[in-house]
Each structure stands twice: as structure tokens, then as C-alpha cells.
Amino acid sequence: MGTYEMRIDRLGFDIEQNYDTIQSFSIGHESCIIKFFKVIQQTDLLDFVRRQKEAGREIRIITPFVPEQHLDEMKEVIKSICKEECFKDSVIIVNDFGLMSYIHKIDENRKMCLGRSLLFSFDYAPWGHKIYENEPEKIQKVVAQINFYDDEKMEFYRGYHVSEIEVNLTAGTIDSLKEIQKAGFKVNVHKGSFLYGTQRSCYIRRCSAEQNCCGTECEYAEELEIEEFWGGAGYYKKPDDIAFPNPLYLRGNQIYGKAHDIPCDCFDGIIVDAE
Amino acid sequence: MIMKLKVPVNSYEAAVKQIEAGADEIYMGLEDSHFNRMSYSARAQITSQGVHSNLRDEEFARIVEYAHSKNVTVDFTANCQHVTNSTDDFYREGFLEYVERGIHLGADALIVADIGNLIALRKRGIQTPIIAGSYLSGFNRETVDFLKELDVFRICIPDQVTFDEIKAIKKHTDLEIEIFIGYGCSNLAGVCNFCHNNGEKINVGVPCRAKFKMKHNKIANILDACPDCAICSIPKLYDLGIDSLKIIGRETDCREVAEITRMYKTAIQMYAEAGKIDRKEIISAIPWWENNMCHDRCKYENTSLLQSYL
């Protein structure tokens, strides 16, 4: 039975609620660097994680991809986090190769977890099966696996002290995830959401020129339902044989849907959202 | 050194058209008998529209010979992201043999987009120069340094990086820098699961440009954050010393792509010779460009799209 990990990635995270069923908290943000900076430096959230740590819970840090314009600030913030007592033995979840490399340079024993932005499987596409159904069976099996299941990569990442991964869970990736566990890596699965895409552009900022990234509007998800596809020749109705996530959610720069309803008790960690 | 123009090729006819239009570098992949529709490159062998994106050996060799006779280099697409363990390692072995075929047929450089593949290629003793594909997410100087340690000579910077950021990266590294100038993606390379042109027979179009129903029954292409044009930025990219400008579209009609190639080549040459470009004159070559690709779709200018970047 895996442990439950809760994301603290919103400024409005409820610090008063009872979290008895949660064994670990990860603070920061998976896809937005601005939100990451705000959350990781918000006093009441930091006090909350300190109390949780004292109560024996594991505290982790979740980091996003790092645009060049934020790199220097991110390096400073990470450097100071690594020195904080509260985060002394925290696993850092990375979604950026450069940040992974940097953390390893400044704190070579720091354990890291590869985030789901750095992992891929054709089974992650909503129509994944349609992509590989025309291939020989042995090819289907390989392309549905998660791309971390590769001896070359696993050996390489061990060198960076990556000891865990976190993933979207699909039926086609389960066997490869179990093999990854056998190879000694922890596998943490997202139970709260299924990530379909991350953008550099935040839709809140895109829709409002005056947006100042106060960090609150983007806490709410916009619910979307596919209306028409777009091809080079224009828009067309979605064909019936194409499964499209419904609803789809857009929050800040992240596009996600509901997690697939698959039992995940055999994995090491189960990640849930705060909503 | 003049900034090179790198364009996709999916047939001999396409190669001739592209080189005549001004390509300095072309890129292409091979069909592979392991697959019926998928491939070891980032495009299906056959798209849902029935387009063959990759080539058979004989045609590939013919293109290489033609390209080299025109001093055009050939990059080989080995940029799949999905090489994983398999029984007897048949899949990785198939990938390595695929690359060796491309090299044997005359490819000058490899485009690779998976860390395991980068490592496996060097372990195999393959010394052909490697370009880190955009799926390797070179968003910042640290990532560029990380990829340099993996022995690449050039980085293809992902779509959603601003001019100032490219400038900082370029100043920092001695690796060659390649950037996109044509159709762009809304989602970050490597963090998009709306896969298309990968082997499916269904037509999903370009899902991030689709229309969605939102709150209050509003309908909008809300996910569309595609930067599509870099014509106005050609002078500053040229002055910065960008090594290569990449146009995508291995699955697109080669006549359409050749028009785009010619337009960008005109812009580069105009700037190289006159020190300025005439935007209006350049884009008038493609009647639909102004309405569909300009305005808020600039890749490297300070538009509202770029202001929405985190």
C-alpha cells in the first residue's frame, strides 16, 4: 500500500484542514515558476510544512521547468532551500534537466525524483492505442511503456541521485512501472489529475493584459469541452471514434484531465491534489 | 558566417524544391521495417492524411547525393522519445541499426531527442555529430551545459523561448544554436500528450488549436498559444549569430513548405545585403501569411502572446 502525498501548490491551500490520511506533503509547483516562487516563500505555508515535519511527515519540494529568464533566481532559491533545516533531507521533484544537473552540482547527495514532465509514453495520448494499434504486438508493448524503463536512462539518472519517478498512470504503462520498481526506483502515481500538456504561456495572462500574476486567479480550473478540431484546411467536428478527455481542465499553464480509474495500491506513492 | 536555413524533406521532389528555394540544410528520416506506420523519427512513416514522412533507402541516398552536390548538409531524424527495454533489446538494437543506415547512406548529423539514445549511440562507437532535439527541452543555460556533457554539437532550442533568453544562452555557450521560425507549438516540447502524426489513422488535426466550449457556453480556441512567425526578427537573429533557423513540416505538402523557405531565404539575403528587410514585400509572397501567421503570433517580438509567458 503506497503512502499518500499531497500537493501544496496553491496560495490558498487550507492549512487548517485535518490531513490525518496524508503521509507526505510536496510544496512548490509542477509547471509554473512564478507560482513556485510564491508558494515556496509564503510564510504560513512554510510554517505549516515545518509543523508537519515535526509531526513526522515527509516534506518534499516540487519544482517546474525553468525558463532562462528565471534561472538565476531559481538557483538562488534552490540554494537557500537546500540549506533550510526543514528541507534538509527533502526529495526534490524536478521537471527540468538543467535544474536536476544544477542541484546535483551544489548538493551531490540530494535525492531527486523525476517529474512527469520529463517522462513520456505513447499511452499518455488520449488516443494512444490508435497510434500503435497498427504495429506488431511486440512494438505495441514497447511504445506503450514509459520511456524511463530503459537501462541506459536508469543507470544515467542514478548518477544524479534520482531514486524516484512520478507518473500519470495508464493501463499500458503498469508493467513497465513495476519493472522500474524492481530496478530499485520508487514509483509515485498521480491520482488527482492526468497531465496532457504544459505551456509557457499562462492562459490567465493571455486573456488579460493587465494580469499581474497575483497567484489567485490561476488557482481555479477552467473546464473545457472539445467543440471542433482544427486541421490545415479549417475546423471540423470531432469524429465519433476519437476519445478526447472530457472534461479537460486548464489551470494557469497546465492542461489536464481526470486520472484514469486504475488501482494504484501497488505503487510507492499516491499523489493527490488539495482540491 | 551566414545564418543557415534548415528545412524538412519527405521526397526527392521535396529536396529539389527546398534546395532551389534556398535551404542550406535539410532534415529527413528513413522508413523502417520494424514498423507499419510509426517510426524511429518524430513523425509517422505514414500520417493520417496518407503522407509518407520518411524515405526509403534508395531515395534517401539520391537526396543525399543531390544535396551534397549543392553544398547542402543532411541531418538525420533519429528523434523518437520512446526507446525502452525490450526482449533481447530488439528495439534499441533496431534504433541503432536505423541510425547506422542513415549514416551509411550519407547523413552528416543526427537529431536525437532521448537521453538513453544519446548515451547508446556513443557507446556503440558512433561518432557522427549530434544535434539535441527540442524534446530535450533546452530552456536554459544549465540544460544546455547538461546536454553539452552528453556530447552534442548543437542544441535545437524549443519554440517558447524569447529572444532575450536565446541571447543569454548563445552568449553562454560555444555550442551551435538552432531555433524554430515556422509553425509553432502551444505546448512545451516533450510535455505534450496530444500526439499527432505519430502513426494514428484517425485525424486529430492539431489538438491545441481546436475550439473548446468554456464557461457560459463561450467557444474559443483557448489552448492556442502557437507562435508561428519570425520574419520581423530575422535582422536581430542574424546579428546575434544564430547558426540555424528551422522550419517544420515533414508531413506538409512540399510546395507549401518551399514557399515558406523561399520567403525566409529572401529575408535573410535582403538583410545580409542591404542591412534591412522590407517586411511587406517579403510576406506578400504568401497571400495567406499576413492574416494567419502575423500579428500576435510573432515568435521573438514583444507581442501579447510573449507577454503571457511565465
Side-chain angles (χ1 to χ4, degrees):
Chain A
M1 181 73 180
T3 57
Y4 277 84
E5 172 186 333
M6 179 165 280
R7 280 283 132 94
I8 303 175
D9 60 0
R10 297 170 204 203
L11 302 177
F13 179 84
D14 185 355
I15 54 173
E16 303 298 335
Q17 207 179 308
N18 181 333
Y19 294 108
D20 282 354
T21 57
I22 302 297
Q23 288 84 41
S24 75
F25 289 93
S26 41
I27 183 167
H29 204 277
E30 182 183 31
S31 63
C32 175
I33 187 85
I34 295 174
K35 199 63 165 286
F36 172 83
F37 289 144
K38 285 183 189 288
V39 168
I40 204 77
Q41 296 177 95
Q42 184 162 301
T43 314
D44 63 334
L45 296 179
L46 285 172
D47 289 343
F48 173 81
V49 294
R50 284 186 192 110
R51 288 198 300 276
Q52 299 306 318
K53 170 114 175 152
E54 282 162 20
R57 292 195 170 99
E58 185 192 356
I59 304 300
R60 302 156 70 84
I61 300 159
I62 169 78
T63 61
F65 79 99
V66 186
E68 169 60 33
Q69 63 171 335
H70 299 288
L71 180 66
D72 291 334
E73 184 179 1
M74 184 61 164
K75 284 158 81 167
E76 288 308 311
V77 169
I78 285 290
K79 232 189 279 178
S80 100
I81 286 173
C82 286
K83 286 181 197 151
E84 274 245 9
E85 182 60 26
C86 171
F87 299 122
K88 187 171 74 184
D89 52 3
S90 291
V91 169
I92 302 181
I93 304 151
V94 288
N95 283 291
D96 185 289
F97 289 129
L99 186 64
M100 176 187 80
S101 167
Y102 176 74
I103 291 170
H104 187 65
K105 271 189 274 187
I106 61 162
D107 189 358
E108 64 175 3
N109 294 318
R110 175 69 61 172
K111 280 191 180 171
M112 283 186 270
C113 170
L114 225 51
R116 58 181 167 170
S117 301
L118 297 180
L119 299 168
F120 176 76
S121 160
F122 275 116
D123 215 39
Y124 283 173
W127 41 85
H129 182 70
K130 295 275 183 192
I131 293 174
Y132 54 74
E133 68 180 359
N134 306 295
E135 303 303 327
E137 206 170 307
K138 62 179 190 174
I139 297 279
Q140 293 194 25
K141 183 171 184 270
V142 177
V143 300
Q145 294 178 149
I146 189 153
N147 65 350
F148 188 80
Y149 179 46
D150 167 10
D151 290 341
E152 296 292 0
K153 284 192 209 88
M154 289 192 284
E155 188 189 332
F156 176 79
Y157 287 123
R158 273 194 196 97
Y160 283 87
H161 265 235
V162 171
S163 53
E164 307 180 23
I165 59 171
E166 62 176 46
V167 295
N168 292 320
L169 188 60
T170 63
T173 52
I174 289 178
D175 288 347
S176 57
L177 294 172
K178 288 180 178 170
E179 291 299 321
I180 290 166
Q181 285 180 304
K182 282 185 204 159
F185 292 90
K186 283 188 183 171
V187 172
N188 308 309
V189 300
H190 279 264
K191 188 74 176 163
S193 67
F194 192 106
L195 183 66
Y196 287 107
T198 297
Q199 302 194 335
R200 173 81 191 268
S201 164
C202 167
Y203 99 94
I204 299 283
R205 290 166 66 123
R206 204 156 66 234
C207 295
S208 164
E210 295 81 39
Q211 183 51 236
N212 59 2
C213 269
C214 60
T216 51
E217 272 192 72
C218 57
E219 309 236 312
Y220 303 100
E222 177 82 42
E223 201 171 303
L224 309 177
E225 189 185 331
I226 185 79
E227 183 70 15
E228 286 181 309
F229 276 133
W230 182 87
Y235 290 99
Y236 58 97
K237 280 284 170 205
K238 181 184 90 64
D240 291 339
D241 60 345
I242 300 178
F244 199 86
N246 186 23
L248 193 67
Y249 299 98
L250 181 57
R251 196 173 69 184
N253 69 332
Q254 208 170 41
I255 303 158
Y256 63 96
K258 289 182 176 151
H260 295 193
D261 188 15
I262 298 171
C264 46
D265 290 350
C266 60
F267 296 108
D268 302 284
I270 297 161
I271 303 159
V272 292
D273 294 330
E275 60 192 6
Chain B
M1 192 182 67
I2 199 154
M3 189 160 61
K4 290 174 185 150
L5 197 50
K6 174 171 170 170
V7 304
V9 159
N10 60 8
S11 67
Y12 184 78
E13 182 201 356
V16 172
K17 281 196 185 326
Q18 295 291 9
I19 291 169
E20 281 175 1
D24 304 294
E25 300 176 326
I26 56 173
Y27 64 98
M28 57 189 182
L30 279 168
E31 293 193 349
D32 193 283
S33 59
H34 275 98
F35 303 96
N36 293 323
R37 295 180 71 89
M38 298 178 80
S39 79
Y40 281 121
S41 83
R43 286 288 183 280
Q45 296 190 160
I46 309 170
T47 70
S48 60
Q49 308 298 302
V51 177
H52 287 251
S53 305
N54 294 312
L55 296 135
R56 298 210 170 122
D57 290 26
E58 309 74 46
E59 195 173 11
F60 188 100
R62 206 172 147 223
I63 293 171
V64 170
E65 193 182 354
Y66 175 72
H68 285 171
S69 75
K70 303 283 182 186
N71 286 324
V72 169
T73 53
V74 178
D75 294 342
F76 183 60
T77 53
N79 50 346
C80 60
Q81 294 176 276
H82 58 79
V83 174
T84 60
N85 286 349
S86 56
T87 312
D88 300 328
D89 215 14
F90 85 90
Y91 199 72
R92 166 76 30 76
E93 186 57 29
F95 171 78
L96 293 169
E97 285 171 6
Y98 167 81
V99 171
E100 284 166 344
R101 268 171 60 217
I103 295 167
H104 176 72
L105 293 168
D108 300 296
L110 311 172
I111 306 171
V112 181
D114 176 87
I115 284 177
N117 287 344
L118 280 174
I119 297 164
L121 286 166
R122 293 309 191 215
K123 272 193 184 170
R124 180 82 153 204
I126 291 169
Q127 292 307 317
T128 307
I130 293 178
I131 300 163
S134 59
Y135 289 142
L136 286 168
S137 305
F139 287 109
N140 54 53
R141 283 164 288 147
E142 286 291 338
T143 305
V144 168
D145 289 348
F146 167 78
L147 293 170
K148 186 179 176 182
E149 283 176 26
L150 289 166
D151 197 21
V152 304
F153 82 101
R154 178 189 284 185
I155 308 269
C156 179
I157 303 284
D159 251 323
Q160 305 86 355
V161 177
T162 66
F163 177 76
D164 286 345
E165 292 175 324
I166 293 168
K167 198 171 167 184
I169 292 170
K170 177 76 184 158
K171 197 173 159 196
H172 171 78
T173 187
D174 57 359
L175 293 182
E176 289 190 10
I177 298 294
E178 175 179 302
I179 60 166
F180 289 103
I181 51 168
Y183 296 114
C185 288
S186 297
N187 296 346
L188 302 182
V191 202
C192 180
N193 291 321
F194 290 140
C195 309
H196 48 103
N197 295 318
N198 286 118
E200 70 280 2
K201 283 184 179 168
I202 53 173
N203 182 14
V204 298
V206 183
C208 65
R209 299 192 191 221
K211 280 184 183 167
F212 292 89
K213 192 187 282 179
M214 304 164 63
K215 262 191 307 221
H216 311 303
N217 286 328
K218 185 182 168 193
I219 291 170
N221 50 347
I222 186 70
L223 302 185
D224 186 350
C226 300
D228 287 332
C229 181
I231 284 290
C232 298
S233 310
I234 291 295
K236 63 184 183 185
L237 295 169
Y238 187 99
D239 289 343
L240 184 57
I242 294 297
D243 298 281
S244 182
L245 304 178
K246 183 176 184 177
I247 295 170
I248 66 158
R250 275 191 285 155
E251 70 287 355
T252 311
D253 186 316
C254 65
R255 288 166 297 187
E256 182 183 324
V257 184
E259 281 182 45
I260 299 170
T261 303
R262 186 170 288 109
M263 183 178 71
Y264 276 108
K265 192 66 179 184
T266 304
I268 295 168
Q269 283 177 337
M270 198 181 273
Y271 185 69
E273 287 160 15
K276 60 181 180 182
I277 62 166
D278 183 337
R279 173 188 170 277
K280 211 169 174 187
E281 186 193 323
I282 292 165
I283 63 168
S284 68
I286 302 181
W288 49 268
W289 196 269
E290 173 87 50
N291 285 339
N292 294 292
M293 312 297 274
C294 288
H295 309 299
D296 217 14
R297 292 194 181 274
C298 297
K299 282 180 183 290
Y300 306 115
E301 298 301 317
N302 191 23
T303 59
S304 61
L305 173 62
L306 265 69
Q307 285 163 18
S308 73
Y309 279 8
L310 300 168

